[in-house]
Amino acid sequence: MLDTDEPTVVGEEMLQQAVEEQGPKGQAGIIAKQEGIELKDVLHLRLDYRHILKIDHLWQFTSLTKLQLDNNIIEKITGLEFLTNLVWLDLSFNHIEVIEGLDALVKLEDLSLSNNSISTMENMDTLVNLHVLSICNNKLSQLDNVIYLRKFKNLRALNLAGNPLSTEECYTEFIAAYLPELAYLDFRLVDVQTREEALAKYQYALEELIHNETQELKAIEAKNKKEEEIQQHREAFVEFLNGPQLFESMYADDTEAERLAYLPGVPALVETYPFLGQGWPLI
């Protein structure tokens, strides 16, 4: 561990030292040090209590599954985009205000952001495998913010204790109702009776929310389908242009795009991008 009170950046020297400290001991450790430890093969890494201000130089740890960055002075979540195999991440006891920089961590199952200064749950949409979320002792004040967590269908354990919202009279019932798959809240089992009472209490609000979610999902699916169709038309058009026929010589005089409109995929493209119908030179 580095003996300093000065803010530090995760650098190569720190990482090499950490890997050696946490590597094999005894004769095996001596051999490993002599031969060198491949950073791409490291699975677990502890960088806690090192007065780290900025996360950096982690791009070689592509196999990493567990990372401890707790008890530092990190203000911004950065430098994690190469850790696509990460399953467990601890960023507790830092100075983080905004949840961000987690998009690439699609395999993440356990995330700790406790004891920071976070006021909004956001920017975690890609964490579809999230199973445990600990975000206690932050600045979350609005119970409605918990609704954001409904998209995490695998979430089973949630720790929100110590946030302003946890003092609300309906705190437990609200979360039990809006997160029906949650098994543990603040390390306590959400029992059947609590869940049934919560569902009854928030029945009408839930029905409206579920209806809105369904409509939103349908809109997203329709948009994605439309974009997929446009892409297929675009690919067909490009394939035609790259074919054996010389498009420019055949249609250079087609300024009104009369013949152009009969080419594969063009009608859909023109409908979406009107400027394409203004003649060949603009295509």
Side-chain angles (χ1 to χ4, degrees):
M1 184 180 300
L2 299 179
D3 185 16
T4 177
D5 288 332
E6 293 296 320
T8 60
V9 175
V10 175
E12 294 181 4
E13 182 181 351
M14 177 190 292
L15 291 171
Q16 192 61 47
Q17 180 181 342
V19 169
E20 291 176 1
E21 288 175 355
Q22 298 158 40
K25 306 300 180 185
Q27 186 63 29
I30 295 174
I31 295 174
K33 188 172 182 179
Q34 291 174 343
E35 296 181 350
I37 300 175
E38 292 286 344
L39 301 186
K40 65 180 179 62
D41 296 329
V42 176
L43 299 180
H44 300 166
L45 183 63
R46 288 187 56 183
L47 294 172
D48 51 338
Y49 294 98
R50 293 175 186 266
H51 222 64
I52 294 169
L53 176 63
K54 183 180 178 182
I55 309 168
D56 205 351
H57 290 88
L58 292 176
W59 53 78
Q60 296 184 69
F61 292 83
T62 52
S63 297
L64 203 65
T65 60
K66 182 176 181 179
L67 176 60
Q68 283 184 246
L69 283 164
D70 57 286
N71 289 280
N72 286 294
I73 55 172
I74 298 167
E75 297 178 351
K76 189 177 178 66
I77 306 174
T78 59
L80 303 179
E81 59 271 18
F82 295 96
L83 309 184
T84 54
N85 287 303
L86 209 61
V87 174
W88 191 97
L89 175 62
D90 190 350
L91 283 163
S92 60
F93 293 93
N94 278 288
H95 299 164
I96 298 166
E97 296 183 359
V98 177
I99 301 175
E100 58 188 339
L102 302 175
D103 293 353
L105 311 185
V106 295
K107 294 183 180 180
L108 200 65
E109 296 178 4
D110 193 319
L111 173 63
S112 180
L113 292 164
S114 297
N115 295 86
N116 280 285
S117 299
I118 297 167
S119 57
T120 303
M121 280 188 278
E122 58 185 344
N123 301 325
M124 296 187 289
D125 294 27
T126 60
L127 309 185
V128 295
N129 292 301
L130 197 62
H131 191 83
V132 178
L133 175 62
S134 183
I135 193 168
C136 64
N137 298 318
N138 274 274
K139 297 182 178 180
L140 298 167
S141 59
Q142 301 296 321
L143 270 175
D144 286 350
N145 197 210
V146 174
I147 297 175
Y148 173 78
L149 299 178
R150 284 176 59 83
K151 64 184 65 184
F152 304 107
K153 305 305 181 183
N154 295 309
L155 188 64
R156 296 295 179 270
L158 175 64
N159 186 2
L160 287 166
N163 283 284
L165 58 77
S166 67
T167 62
E168 295 285 341
E169 184 178 352
C170 58
Y171 166 69
T172 301
E173 289 181 330
F174 185 92
I175 294 175
Y178 282 90
L179 303 179
E181 303 300 325
L182 197 69
Y184 293 92
L185 175 61
D186 301 338
F187 303 108
R188 294 183 178 181
L189 182 68
V190 181
D191 60 79
V192 176
Q193 181 179 346
T194 298
R195 192 178 305 283
E196 289 178 349
E197 292 175 353
L199 290 173
K201 180 176 181 178
Y202 291 95
Q203 177 183 353
Y204 298 112
L206 279 169
E207 288 176 354
E208 182 178 359
L209 176 61
I210 292 171
H211 172 74
N212 292 338
E213 288 176 340
T214 302
Q215 294 302 110
E216 183 179 350
L217 182 60
K218 288 181 178 178
I220 292 173
E221 290 176 346
K223 179 182 177 182
N224 291 340
K225 183 178 180 181
K226 181 66 174 178
E227 291 178 349
E228 184 179 345
E229 290 175 350
I230 292 172
Q231 181 61 27
Q232 290 174 350
H233 289 306
R234 184 183 292 113
E235 290 173 356
F237 186 35
V238 171
E239 183 179 354
F240 182 88
L241 294 181
N242 291 331
Q245 297 169 323
L246 297 177
F247 178 86
E248 185 174 1
S249 64
M250 294 176 61
Y251 295 96
D253 62 340
D254 189 20
T255 55
E256 298 301 322
E258 294 176 356
R259 284 177 288 172
L260 182 65
Y262 291 95
L263 294 179
V266 170
L269 288 174
V270 172
E271 179 183 353
T272 307
Y273 305 105
F275 67 85
L276 289 177
Q278 298 174 9
W280 157 246
L282 293 180
I283 294 179

